[in-house]
Amino acid sequence: MENLHIGDLTIEVAPAAPDGVISCTWRGKSNERNPPEILKPWFEKLLAAVSEQQGSLEMHFEKIEHFNSSTITALIRLIQLCRKSGVKLVMVYDQTLKWQRLSFDALRVFEKNDDLFHLRFA
Amino acid sequence: MATSGDFGFSIDMTVRNEWRNVDLLRTSVQNCFTAVFADVDGCHAIAMVTGELLENALKYGDWTRGDRAMFRLRVHGTRENDVEVSVQNPVGESDGNANLLLQSIEEINSFAKPEQAYRARLLQIAQSEDSAPSRLGLVRIAFEGNCRLSATLADGTVTVRAVLASTST
């Protein structure tokens, strides 16, 4: 799976770990006008690759400087896409940054008992 | 320019309606306020509020008119260390965006806590079509920026104001 480079945003994809976890590290800024439009097709390819390997996904946000509210919509779509595909998703954030703590803690409304979506701080 | 009654900073400028200016101004505001305040989280919040208001203006403003003076960013401080960020932009008389914006602010302010409004909006987005506009920016301003929102409509422009409570120096 190739990294994503779009505008000021890079998402680096690491090779699958022995336990099947594929880690993606977000860097820079997600400030495009319509991030879901750009991210959705990339997420779909990524999920296809993860499913093929019967792995799970970790999205790391500790290094990202900023994302706009439209990016949060894209993250909600990713949570839904993973759940629909039966792929486990973990979002990892930096709780020492207030904006990350607020943004990601709010996404706990999407945690369910199905073990398919979790939030974790680094 | 700052006036004697202000805390000591004031930004007031017209903006070209280009998307790349959102991040240029957001980062500029963040850098300026980092020079004023020790509160890094507060500076990030002011910058986020600036970015979200500018994005909304560009997405929902009426840009068929060419009057640059109608797109304006103002950021200023008060004696109580409150910071007010406001963005003025032209709106179409018949496109409904201005009224939708006023309704959104009224709805956000009707919640006891902005956090409740934010979580409710997240759940609405999850239930909506992919193509539907998220309109998450305003409620993010209220929640993450801990802001009180208001807006006024006059002479073909809308001005949205976000007041951030006391930022520590």
Side-chain angles (χ1 to χ4, degrees), chain B residues 41-63:
Chain B
D41 288 332
C43 294
H44 192 279
I46 295 166
M48 180 276 292
V49 169
T50 302
E52 294 292 349
L53 287 180
L54 290 169
E55 285 195 8
N56 267 4
L58 284 168
K59 282 182 175 175
Y60 305 114
D62 174 13
W63 303 108

Side-chain angles (χ1 to χ4, degrees), chain A residues 16-33:
Chain A
D19 59 0
V21 175
I22 294 179
S23 295
C24 299
T25 302
W26 293 54
R27 295 180 192 276
K29 296 179 277 192
S30 179
N31 50 21
E32 293 292 315
R33 187 177 180 119

Side-chain angles (χ1 to χ4, degrees), chain B residues 18-76:
Chain B
E18 293 175 11
W19 189 259
R20 69 188 192 98
N21 287 337
V22 173
D23 203 61
L24 286 173
L25 288 167
R26 190 191 61 77
T27 51
S28 298
V29 165
Q30 181 157 353
N31 289 335
C32 285
F33 279 79
T34 303
V36 178
F37 296 115
D39 174 9
V40 175
D41 288 332
C43 294
H44 192 279
I46 295 166
M48 180 276 292
V49 169
T50 302
E52 294 292 349
L53 287 180
L54 290 169
E55 285 195 8
N56 267 4
L58 284 168
K59 282 182 175 175
Y60 305 114
D62 174 13
W63 303 108
T64 55
R65 287 177 280 170
D67 186 355
R68 273 185 56 191
M70 294 174 85
F71 189 21
R72 198 167 196 97
L73 168 67
R74 296 184 182 90
V75 188
H76 76 269

Side-chain angles (χ1 to χ4, degrees), chain B residues 128-150:
Chain B
S128 67
E129 296 290 323
D130 277 6
S131 55
S134 73
R135 297 197 178 266
L136 188 62
L138 285 173
V139 71
R140 187 189 193 195
I141 289 169
F143 169 53
E144 285 188 31
N146 193 24
C147 287
R148 186 73 185 168
L149 283 163
S150 63

